[in-house]
Amino acid sequence: MALANHGVGAEGLLAAQSALSGSGDQYGNDSRVEQLWAMKAMDHAEVYFNLLCSVEPSRLKLTGSLESDDAIYKHFKEAFPSLELGKIAENDLKSEESKKAWREFSESYKTLEDYSFGSLLRLDASKDYSEENTIIAIKIQFLAIEIARNREGFNDKIRGNFKPTVRKPKQTSSAQSPLTRGGVNVSEIEHELQQIIGGQHPILK
């Protein structure tokens, strides 16, 4: 998977998306916010894809609870019985009809933590994350589709076709060169993320 990683986990992605869930007027066109979210989203995607490369997908409990996974899977199959899990089309999530159906589905999960936050979803279950194979979805869509894919065998070939990406730890020594991505200091971005989460960033004022 061609995504660099500096030890940022899923929580960073979800926290960043929480900040982004407010009104667009609140942020204007600040490209730093988009960059923060994109970096966390890529890190989360890499963590998940590494799991698919490493363990039998049917063993994964994406909500952390087998009971919760069971409930989401059952509801998903009832609500979207004909959705093609192997290759999802953008219209399956983004058409007006689909958005209405997913909105009704999502209403049942308001008590699920971060149910409406953003995640990256692969369109073709047999392939890695890439620009062509990735769509932005909300967390409950990601959970419902990936739980179903894992249980029905759509992710089984990942382990045979891909290898886990080595996750690089954060550099802590001040004597070392700062980590950068796209010419941007990663520690600086992490600091900005914490400001956004705490409501202290200038773009929130």
Side-chain angles (χ1 to χ4, degrees):
M1 186 174 184
L3 296 175
N5 180 14
H6 302 289
V8 181
E11 293 306 316
L13 162 66
L14 298 178
Q17 181 62 10
S18 175
L20 292 175
S21 64
S23 168
D25 295 336
Q26 185 178 20
Y27 303 103
N29 295 317
D30 196 301
S31 62
R32 296 286 285 180
V33 175
E34 294 181 6
Q35 183 180 45
L36 285 166
W37 183 86
M39 289 177 64
K40 305 312 170 188
M42 288 191 297
D43 283 325
H44 175 264
E46 185 170 33
V47 169
Y48 179 63
F49 197 77
N50 275 350
L51 285 172
L52 295 181
C53 292
S54 305
V55 301
E56 185 178 341
S58 61
R59 295 174 54 194
L60 297 176
K61 296 189 287 287
L62 298 191
T63 64
S65 162
L66 180 59
E67 182 179 352
S68 294
D69 278 21
D70 287 344
I72 292 173
Y73 177 67
K74 181 177 183 294
H75 185 193
F76 170 71
K77 297 302 291 185
E78 292 171 349
F80 303 95
S82 60
L83 185 66
E84 174 53 56
L85 291 169
K87 292 185 178 180
I88 292 173
E90 184 172 350
N91 279 342
D92 292 331
L93 276 67
K94 305 297 185 181
S95 72
E96 289 304 315
E97 181 180 358
S98 296
K99 285 193 288 187
K100 181 176 183 296
W102 278 110
R103 192 176 302 115
E104 293 175 355
F105 179 85
S106 302
E107 286 295 307
S108 301
Y109 298 97
K110 286 187 174 181
T111 57
L112 178 68
E113 184 177 4
D114 307 329
Y115 83 101
S116 65
F117 289 176
S119 295
L120 299 182
L121 179 70
R122 293 170 301 129
L123 295 171
D124 187 333
S126 68
K127 297 180 180 180
D128 195 350
Y129 285 96
S130 67
E131 184 176 354
E132 301 77 19
N133 195 44
T134 303
I135 190 171
I136 296 175
I138 63 171
K139 180 180 177 180
I140 189 58
Q141 289 174 319
F142 170 86
L143 290 174
I145 291 170
E146 289 298 330
I147 288 170
R149 282 175 166 176
N150 290 341
R151 294 189 173 200
E152 297 181 24
F154 288 96
N155 285 329
D156 285 355
K157 293 183 179 180
I158 296 296
R159 279 188 300 162
N161 295 332
F162 299 92
K163 299 298 181 184
T165 300
V166 177
R167 290 173 57 76
K168 299 176 183 178
K170 293 181 180 179
Q171 298 181 24
T172 56
S173 173
S174 58
Q176 294 174 309
S177 300
L179 293 171
T180 63
R181 184 179 298 166
V184 178
N185 188 305
V186 172
S187 61
E188 177 185 337
I189 288 181
E190 291 289 340
H191 175 66
E192 284 199 30
L193 174 60
Q194 293 301 321
Q195 287 183 312
I196 289 175
I197 295 170
Q200 301 301 314
H201 195 281
I203 65 174
L204 302 179
K205 297 178 179 179

